[in-house]
Amino acid sequence: MIGALRPHMTNDWLDLVDDPDFPRTPLRGGFVLKTGRKGLIDLLSEWQKAGVNHAALGIQFSERPAKEIIQELAEEILPLFPSLEGPEPLSTKW
């Protein structure tokens, strides 16, 4: 069920290439995923359907500059996966 809060998290090392159609390709024995934007969107959609609601994407093995990758993530990918409403914060008793 999409939208239900299930605290499950995963991570992946990512080499996000500038070709949006570059296929998902495992590198270093599957330790790093080399892919284009569309492949990453497909992967994140699969994770979402499986109940993952937090993901860590390590970009230190990427060939592109981090600034470019972060900009692409922010502009092209993250808007497709909006944040879920969280629980109300607890009040602090001083």
Side-chain angles (χ1 to χ4, degrees), residues 3-93:
L5 181 59
R6 291 173 283 182
H8 182 79
M9 187 258 184
T10 191
N11 68 302
D12 216 339
W13 301 111
L14 179 67
D15 183 0
L16 187 63
V17 301
D18 58 359
D19 174 3
D21 294 309
F22 191 92
R24 290 170 23 189
T25 307
L27 301 176
R28 300 184 186 191
F31 182 65
V32 176
L33 174 65
K34 184 172 188 172
T35 189
R37 173 176 55 236
K38 292 177 182 177
L40 180 57
I41 290 168
D42 289 344
L43 176 64
L44 293 175
S45 294
E46 291 170 16
W47 285 355
Q48 185 180 48
K49 288 175 187 167
V52 173
N53 60 18
H54 288 79
L57 301 173
I59 60 173
Q60 59 267 48
F61 296 110
S62 296
E63 293 182 22
R64 290 172 60 198
K67 182 178 178 178
E68 288 180 18
I69 294 171
I70 292 170
Q71 183 171 355
E72 184 173 359
L73 289 170
E75 293 176 358
E76 304 291 342
I77 298 169
L78 291 179
L80 301 174
F81 301 94
S83 298
L84 300 175
E85 289 293 322
E88 290 294 319
L90 299 174
S91 62
T92 303
K93 296 180 183 180

